[in-house]
Amino acid sequence: MAILIAVLFALRDLRWHDIRAAVPTSIAFWAVFGVYYLTPVALDWAIFRYLWGVPASAFVALLRKLVSNDLLFGYVGEVYFYGWARRKMKMVASPFGAVKDTAILSALAGNIATLVMMGFAYPLVQQLQFHIISEALRVSEKMLWVSIFMVVGIPTLAIIVGNRLFSLTKMQLTVVGGLQITRVAATTGLSALAWSLALPQVAFSEWIILATIRLIISRLPFVSQKDIVFAGIAVLTVGHDLEIAALITFWAAIQFAAHVFFGGVLGVGYFVNMKVKK
């Protein structure tokens, strides 16, 4: 119900005409976008297939988890999927531990990837005309080091207290952690690839900086529609380059449109299924 309400509100403000006008004609761009959008769902399915042996139908539940997190607010998707697992996976005694551990490992993988990308992006910011970021780094350099310490410290603390924090075995944590790192690397790489296909004339170093900004924003908890937030910040950052700003805004719009589409389909399908069962 919440997803359907969010979809209806989103449809009021979604400018379909502007989206159609900016649609790239490259088939490769759309193929990469499709793989990018479904990659988190596919890897989530692989994780829970490994842990619980979930059926193919779990893909739909995990797609609803993705839409819930992005269209409503962060982690509501985990709450939904926990309820789904309680109802559907009778052989799982307590699904909470696995869902909780997977969410923690996802956050740790994102933190580590963000730190690595910051290391690549930091010298590039000094070279390119990204004045807003350069000024922010100059003013808040101490806070930057505090943030880096927190990013490094959280995974270290998790390793130290791992036996108390995690419910899964070490082998399971290794496999799940590897899949979570794969997810972050794949989505970051696929987004940069899609952007470069749309604007091949732009230097790859600019895509690295924008991908880093997107990773940083993705670490914000309880924030919905993060790609729209990213688009706003990206426009301020690269406002001197209208083509890049337009592409990032379009990227956020088509992801939002995809969430609205799948959210509507899944929401309507849920109520139709309930009616058929009755």
Side-chain angles (χ1 to χ4, degrees):
M1 182 67 72
I3 292 175
L4 283 177
I5 292 172
V7 166
L8 292 174
F9 272 99
L11 287 173
R12 294 169 53 202
D13 300 324
L14 204 58
R15 299 179 179 179
W16 295 101
H17 181 269
D18 293 342
I19 293 175
R20 287 197 301 270
V23 171
T25 56
S26 170
I27 297 176
F29 172 87
W30 288 106
V32 172
F33 172 75
V35 175
Y36 160 85
Y37 186 82
L38 294 175
T39 291
V41 185
L43 286 173
D44 269 351
W45 183 86
I47 288 171
F48 290 104
R49 178 74 176 180
Y50 166 72
L51 294 176
W52 299 339
V54 295
S57 59
F59 195 91
V60 175
L62 289 165
L63 181 57
R64 187 178 281 115
K65 169 177 170 287
L66 171 70
V67 173
S68 299
N69 281 339
D70 287 352
L71 200 58
L72 299 177
F73 57 89
Y75 296 114
V76 71
E78 273 71 22
V79 175
Y80 159 75
F81 187 68
Y82 168 69
W84 179 89
R86 292 267 304 200
R87 294 192 308 271
K88 302 292 185 179
M89 304 304 296
K90 302 298 183 183
M91 75 288 295
V92 180
S94 178
F96 176 78
V99 174
K100 177 258 298 177
D101 287 2
T102 301
I104 292 174
L105 289 172
S106 174
L108 295 181
N111 285 352
I112 293 169
T114 301
L115 186 62
V116 171
M117 289 296 290
M118 285 174 63
F120 282 110
Y122 187 83
L124 297 175
V125 169
Q126 312 302 322
Q127 299 172 15
L128 300 175
Q129 301 290 322
F130 285 4
H131 300 300
I132 293 177
I133 299 180
S134 298
E135 185 65 17
L137 291 177
R138 186 186 68 79
V139 172
S140 58
E141 188 169 350
K142 290 184 179 179
M143 290 305 299
L144 175 65
W145 287 109
V146 171
S147 300
I148 291 174
F149 174 77
M150 291 297 293
V151 171
V152 174
I154 291 173
T156 303
L157 180 64
I159 293 172
I160 293 173
V161 300
N163 292 335
R164 303 188 195 93
L165 182 65
F166 295 113
S167 304
L168 300 176
T169 66
K170 288 185 178 180
M171 183 62 184
Q172 290 174 325
L173 290 172
T174 301
V175 173
V176 173
L179 288 171
Q180 292 290 13
I181 292 174
T182 301
R183 175 186 58 80
V184 176
T187 52
T188 302
L190 287 168
S191 60
L193 175 60
W195 299 340
S196 63
L197 287 171
L199 292 177
Q201 70 274 20
V202 176
F204 192 71
S205 55
E206 297 203 27
W207 298 134
I208 290 178
I209 294 175
L210 289 172
T212 303
I213 295 172
R214 187 179 179 281
L215 271 176
I216 292 171
I217 294 172
S218 72
R219 306 321 310 145
L220 300 175
F222 308 112
V223 176
S224 65
Q225 302 173 23
K226 293 179 182 178
D227 286 294
I228 293 178
V229 176
F230 164 60
I233 294 176
V235 168
L236 290 174
T237 304
V238 297
H240 63 283
D241 194 322
L242 295 180
E243 284 189 329
I244 294 179
L247 174 62
I248 296 302
T249 303
F250 173 73
W251 182 258
I254 58 175
Q255 287 190 84
F256 187 51
H259 291 330
V260 169
F261 172 76
F262 284 113
V265 170
L266 293 172
V268 171
Y270 176 79
F271 286 107
V272 169
N273 187 48
M274 285 182 61
K275 188 175 181 180
V276 170
K277 287 182 178 180
K278 290 182 179 179

